[in-house]
Amino acid sequence: MKTLRRNALSGYSWLMLVFLYLPILILVLYSFNDSRINATWTGFTWKWYVSLFENRQVMQALMNSLTIGVISSVIATVLGTAAALAVKHYSLRWSNIFNGLMYLPIVIPEIMMGLAMLVLFSQVQMELGKVTLILAHVTFSMPYVMVIISGRLADMGKELEEASQDLGATPWETLRYVTLPLIMPGIIAGFLMAFTLSLDDFIISFFVAGPNSTTLPLYIYGLVKRGVSPEVNALSTLLIVSTVLLVVVAEVFRRKDSKNNQSIF
Amino acid sequence: MGALFVLPMLMIAILSFLKRGTYGQVVYEFTLNNYIRIFDPLYGQIFGDTLVVAVLTTVFSILCGYPLAYYISRLEKSTQQIWLLLVMIPFWINFLVRSYAWVIILRSQGVINTFLQSLGIISEPLPLLYNSGSVLLGMVYTLMPFMVLPIYVSLEQMDRRKLEAAYDLGATPWKAFWHVTLPMTKTGVVTGSILVFVSSIGMFVVPDVMGGAKSALIGNVIQNQFLSARDWPFGSALSIVLMLLSMLLILLYFRATKASETKEGSA
């Protein structure tokens, strides 16, 4: 009876995994399908990938995505690290208020954040484009960086910093030679996370992108709205593969000699 | 950085009391018209649909997610990590891409219809896509990971000794689950429900890609007001109502769970 129940539960859970992954796998599979319109499998082909790389708009969108991703995640990582360090040293009450504000963008519906950004940029009369995209991406990815690094800082404890100060290091030296090296895996994980979020974001970018700053997800949206084409499958597959790789690498860095292996997901 | 977000929210609140000019610009003149317009039956209907979809998405996510979280929490520690990563990876993949994957499967020339037709089971393609069913499927599919994780966390933190005590006192596994495990993991269910509910009432990608014209939800209307109709004041009023609504529900939810928790504590 007990094993029967256990088997049923295990079977169900595997079924759920199939439910989660099957659509994604089918999408990937069909990006190699020779047929243009039908779901019938007519043979393996690379041609949709080839036509992607020959498509100037796609390459432009890719460049935009990468530029915005790198710049925004560098800024988000620097600010997020600073914020995590600051919160650790502030009094408990201020830290709580600050933390609450930081988590707000994670909890609030993304559409609201996109709208809020759009309204803000239009009120200060900023032209929509790469700069507004970068600012928006920094805003939504910074909290995630902060959460990762705060976790890392909490693991670390105070002993090593105190020891370094007892040995006569200035606060700056302690930060440079003790704290930062210790939280480095967290910083790298935070950077990768911010980069993934930026590369992948659609909803917020949708509101704050200008006509010349189309990113990959925005380009995919355009294709999807125009109807199903195998190029979308190919482009989506590339986005899926890079997202999964980045998330896994980030997770590896985050877990690196970290005491508690609790996932931040 | 938090301020960078609070400030524009205030701007939206102000905007919702202003007028729209003839060319889609904002006229700085106070009016309540945007809010009055929301009571138009058309928008009432859309708000209603949105709430129904959000509630159903939450319920299905609990039903699908709880057993999965339960299973993961009973595995070996190292296997648990792998399962959690597997559950969360799809969550990192773009919403848009994941909804689109379902289009390939469900559309009339999609995987399911082609398969059934080649077997001769159906002669005409089934209308699987562009209805409220497909929207619900897409919502549960994209938001379920939000439910699994908090439930898993509360199952992990649960005091297993109470479960053993229940067994010692002769409880059947179902009874033990119903009277011990479930009440003790309520926090996880509530947290997950809030995450799923709030995400689904603001969602416009899934209905946009999988819903077709008839299944527009409030997120789609807001998106439309801002980007196509260029009626920012009305769009702002809609989003303020949406936000107040979600905050109110969250508040009620928290209050309800808190009340029952204190009751349990005193018992």
Side-chain angles (χ1 to χ4, degrees):
Chain A
M1 191 57 199
K2 199 169 178 182
T3 46
L4 182 74
R5 207 166 34 238
R6 184 153 295 171
N7 284 341
L9 191 64
S10 146
Y12 170 85
S13 302
W14 282 99
L15 213 69
M16 274 292 138
L17 270 198
V18 173
F19 172 62
L20 284 175
Y21 281 90
L22 196 64
I24 298 166
L25 290 178
I26 285 178
L27 175 68
V28 173
L29 188 69
Y30 275 81
S31 69
F32 297 106
N33 188 6
D34 198 41
S35 162
R36 180 163 197 102
I37 37 163
N38 265 313
T40 324
W41 183 263
T42 51
F44 180 91
T45 180
W46 285 102
K47 67 180 174 195
W48 310 119
Y49 289 90
V50 175
S51 76
L52 273 188
F53 285 102
E54 284 165 355
N55 184 331
R56 282 199 35 215
Q57 280 174 304
V58 173
M59 287 299 116
Q60 187 57 52
L62 175 68
M63 277 314 292
N64 287 344
S65 272
L66 291 178
T67 322
I68 291 160
V70 170
I71 298 176
S72 69
S73 46
V74 167
I75 301 174
T77 308
V78 172
L79 293 178
T81 310
L85 288 168
V87 164
K88 201 193 173 194
H89 292 281
Y90 276 146
S91 74
L92 199 64
R93 192 168 145 230
W94 279 108
S95 298
N96 280 341
I97 295 172
F98 192 73
N99 264 327
L101 278 175
M102 286 302 298
Y103 283 108
L104 208 58
I106 304 185
V107 198
I108 278 206
E110 262 184 288
I111 186 172
M112 298 297 283
M113 196 151 156
L115 291 180
M117 292 279 158
L118 173 62
V119 170
L120 177 72
F121 293 140
S122 85
Q123 289 304 307
V124 297
Q125 313 221 318
M126 270 179 88
E127 203 185 322
L128 296 183
K130 289 199 190 73
V131 178
T132 50
L133 274 170
I134 290 170
L135 285 175
H137 286 204
V138 169
T139 313
F140 72 67
S141 57
M142 202 185 100
Y144 290 89
V145 176
M146 203 186 113
V147 172
I148 295 175
I149 294 177
S150 295
R152 187 81 197 169
L153 279 169
D155 281 353
M156 196 176 80
K158 279 188 176 157
E159 302 81 8
L160 289 165
E161 284 175 328
E162 281 167 1
S164 125
Q165 268 156 1
D166 287 347
L167 293 170
T170 61
W172 173 250
E173 281 167 340
T174 305
L175 178 69
R176 170 74 185 77
Y177 296 105
V178 180
T179 316
L180 283 184
L182 279 169
I183 60 172
M184 197 41 95
I187 293 176
I188 295 171
F191 171 81
L192 290 170
M193 200 58 74
F195 185 71
T196 319
L197 287 167
S198 166
L199 195 66
D200 217 34
D201 176 72
F202 166 70
I203 299 177
I204 294 163
S205 306
F206 186 61
F207 288 98
V208 298
N212 294 320
S213 55
T214 301
T215 60
L216 277 185
L218 293 171
Y219 187 79
I220 293 178
Y221 179 73
L223 290 179
V224 168
K225 288 304 272 185
R226 263 180 273 147
V228 177
S229 89
E231 279 97 356
V232 198
N233 302 355
L235 193 52
S236 302
T237 301
L238 292 179
L239 196 61
I240 292 171
V241 171
S242 36
T243 308
V244 172
L245 277 179
L246 279 166
V247 170
V248 170
V249 174
E251 183 64 8
V252 168
F253 268 105
R254 210 191 50 78
R255 285 193 191 171
K256 220 172 173 182
D257 51 55
S258 153
K259 261 181 267 167
N260 67 345
N261 274 346
Q262 262 191 3
S263 181
I264 50 96
F265 291 126
Chain B
M1 223 54 190
L4 190 60
F5 185 67
V6 175
L7 186 77
M9 292 312 277
L10 282 176
M11 284 178 169
I12 291 189
I14 296 168
L15 210 62
S16 69
F17 291 105
L18 300 177
K19 278 185 179 165
R20 174 190 192 267
T22 332
Y23 306 108
Q25 79 278 35
V26 176
V27 180
Y28 288 87
E29 210 176 300
F30 177 83
T31 177
L32 283 172
N33 276 343
N34 299 313
Y35 286 97
I36 295 168
R37 211 175 132 193
I38 292 177
F39 288 97
D40 188 313
L42 171 69
Y43 298 109
Q45 173 77 44
I46 294 173
F47 263 107
D49 288 350
T50 308
L51 286 181
V52 170
V53 169
V55 168
L56 288 177
T57 305
T58 311
V59 170
F60 279 113
S61 297
I62 297 173
L63 293 179
C64 295
Y66 201 106
L68 181 59
Y70 188 86
Y71 174 72
I72 296 175
S73 76
R74 292 300 144 104
L75 292 167
E76 295 275 323
K77 261 274 170 273
S78 54
T79 333
Q80 274 186 16
Q81 293 296 324
I82 298 170
W83 271 80
L84 284 176
L85 197 62
L86 282 175
V87 171
M88 293 322 288
I89 280 174
F91 162 77
W92 287 99
I93 295 171
N94 207 295
F95 273 63
L96 175 64
V97 169
R98 279 187 291 158
S99 318
Y100 170 69
W102 279 105
V103 174
I104 300 180
I105 298 174
L106 298 177
R107 70 196 176 105
S108 45
Q109 285 173 320
V111 178
I112 293 180
N113 275 318
T114 311
F115 180 69
L116 291 178
Q117 274 176 314
S118 70
L119 289 182
I121 296 174
I122 52 169
S123 51
E124 286 291 304
L126 300 170
L128 301 171
L129 196 61
Y130 306 127
N131 52 51
S132 24
S134 60
V135 173
L136 187 61
L137 174 70
M139 293 279 214
V140 175
Y141 178 71
T142 43
L143 297 177
M144 201 185 68
F146 271 142
M147 188 64 83
V148 177
L149 207 72
I151 296 181
Y152 161 80
V153 170
S154 65
L155 279 164
E156 265 300 287
Q157 287 166 349
M158 188 183 114
D159 186 355
R160 295 260 164 95
R161 282 172 306 180
K162 291 195 177 159
L163 205 58
E164 281 161 30
Y167 284 128
D168 288 346
L169 294 170
T172 61
W174 272 118
K175 265 196 169 152
F177 174 77
W178 198 249
H179 293 289
V180 181
T181 311
L182 198 57
M184 283 177 71
T185 51
K186 204 159 53 191
T187 333
V189 178
V190 172
T191 314
S193 301
I194 288 172
L195 287 173
V196 170
F197 191 86
V198 170
S199 308
S200 54
I201 56 170
M203 178 78 85
F204 72 92
V205 178
V206 174
D208 195 21
V209 175
M210 297 177 69
K214 268 186 265 169
S215 321
L217 300 183
I218 204 69
N220 305 79
V221 180
I222 295 175
Q223 173 219 331
N224 227 312
Q225 293 302 324
F226 270 89
L227 297 179
S228 319
R230 290 204 60 85
D231 191 344
W232 287 24
F234 183 53
S236 301
L238 285 171
S239 28
I240 292 291
V241 172
L242 180 74
M243 199 158 93
L244 289 178
L245 204 69
S246 58
M247 279 174 151
L248 181 78
L249 288 166
I250 290 171
L251 212 70
L252 286 176
Y253 218 170
F254 267 125
R255 188 165 288 178
T257 47
K258 214 171 196 178
S260 64
E261 256 166 40
T262 35
K263 216 163 68 189
E264 263 164 40
S266 63

